[in-house]
Amino acid sequence: MSTAGVDAYLRRLGVGQPTRPTADALRELHLRHLETVPFENLSVHLGEEIVLDGKRLLDKVVEARRGGFCYELNGAFGALLAALGYDVQLLAARVYGDGGRLGIPYDHLALRVRTVDGGDWLADVGFGAHFHLPLAFGERGEQEDPGGTFRITEAGADAAGARGGHDRGEAADLDVSRNGRPVYQLEVRPRVLGDFTAGAWWHSTSPLSPFTRSPVCSRITGDGGRITLSGRRFTVTAPDGTRREHEAGTDEEVLALYRDRFGIALDTVPTARGTGTGTGG
């Protein structure tokens, strides 16, 4: 990632160049990413190809000022962090769905980030409603966050009775939970971006994927709330959880919401390509 590319990415986030790759700088970058780069699946419904290539991801997020889903957002954010001097590992996760069922392999991409001041963090700017600030990777107690109460614990056996890892606790799979409910099961073995190609293809094409159900675009607001446009329904969620909903009546109103509330300029309204009943990250 070039110096010019780093500068352009930081301008997109509205932050200056960190002097050192510290935990405090990571927290600021993480929160600003969630506030400025939307979680969205619009490419799926616009017929745009999703390619897990570093340059393509940066072109989309930085140059085109778009968002994306987990593979794109965490892939691009991980590249930025690495360019800033952080030690970054890509981790694969499977998302918990209805009945505690786990999703497909490479269901989700998250980041393990080590900082120059000795921090070891779980970062994730690609999951929608999730933690606002990185979680301490090695902490096994509750971690309070504006997005809820989170906890990282060693995962139990899966539906086949198998446990991840290799007998050592540090190599075991981990469960990440929010407000007492498991969100996803995380592998600790480092991966490369290309490993997630099959997962990205499945989530962008399968009728069982949640991302083929309806166009969704969402981001955190400056006060810690959230705005979401799902199809034509625009929802404003306050920090205390209260919600206001509005149904956009015309294509012009939908395009204005994308432009004015998410910074995404589109020529046409994304059209839902299908329905699904699965889970995803």
Side-chain angles (χ1 to χ4, degrees), residues 4 34 133 139 143 146 239 262:
L34 291 169
L133 301 169
E139 173 60 50
Q143 301 189 52
F262 301 98

Side-chain angles (χ1 to χ4, degrees), residues 40-275:
E40 50 105 332
N41 66 348
L42 305 183
S43 290
V44 175
H45 304 281
L46 290 168
E48 299 172 349
E49 185 181 12
I50 295 172
V51 180
L52 298 190
D53 168 79
K55 184 180 185 304
R56 291 280 292 269
L57 297 186
L58 293 170
D59 286 347
K60 181 176 181 180
V61 170
V62 180
E63 299 300 325
R65 304 187 72 81
R66 285 279 303 277
F69 55 7
C70 69
Y71 313 106
E72 301 169 293
L73 296 180
N74 283 322
F77 188 49
L80 172 66
L81 294 177
L84 291 172
Y86 290 95
D87 178 3
V88 181
Q89 294 178 345
L90 310 186
L91 301 183
R94 299 174 68 188
V95 179
Y96 282 99
D98 295 338
R101 292 189 299 272
L102 287 168
I104 64 168
Y106 301 101
D107 203 10
H108 181 63
L109 188 162
L111 304 172
R112 184 175 186 175
V113 184
R114 293 183 174 92
T115 63
V116 71
D117 48 0
D120 188 6
W121 304 92
L122 176 63
D124 193 343
V125 296
F127 198 78
H130 204 32
F131 48 81
H132 296 194
L133 301 169
L135 300 181
F137 199 91
E139 173 60 50
R140 296 295 175 259
E142 291 184 345
Q143 301 189 52
E144 296 296 332
D145 180 87
T149 301
F150 291 83
R151 191 167 185 177
I152 302 173
T153 57
E154 186 172 327
D158 63 15
R163 294 174 64 89
H166 307 283
D167 298 326
R168 296 180 300 151
E170 65 184 80
D173 291 349
L174 301 172
D175 276 341
V176 178
S177 64
R178 175 176 183 255
N179 298 333
R181 301 186 62 178
V183 177
Y184 53 66
Q185 189 170 112
L186 189 70
E187 297 179 8
V188 298
R189 175 184 173 183
R191 302 291 183 176
V192 297
L193 189 59
D195 290 339
F196 296 86
T197 299
W201 174 83
W202 188 89
H203 272 302
S204 59
T205 62
S206 172
L208 297 179
S209 167
F211 296 114
T212 58
R213 297 176 187 173
S214 174
V216 173
C217 189
S218 183
R219 69 170 178 85
I220 289 175
T221 53
D223 61 359
R226 176 172 291 277
I227 55 174
T228 302
L229 181 58
S230 180
R232 292 178 175 270
R233 178 166 296 179
F234 182 63
T235 302
V236 178
T237 304
D240 63 3
T242 57
R243 296 156 60 99
R244 293 184 290 108
E245 295 185 350
H246 167 72
E247 197 78 14
T250 66
D251 286 357
E252 289 73 19
E253 188 177 357
V254 173
L255 294 174
L257 285 168
Y258 282 127
R259 181 186 66 245
D260 299 338
R261 303 307 297 269
F262 301 98
I264 296 177
L266 299 177
D267 296 325
T268 60
V269 173
T271 302
R273 64 176 295 165
T275 60

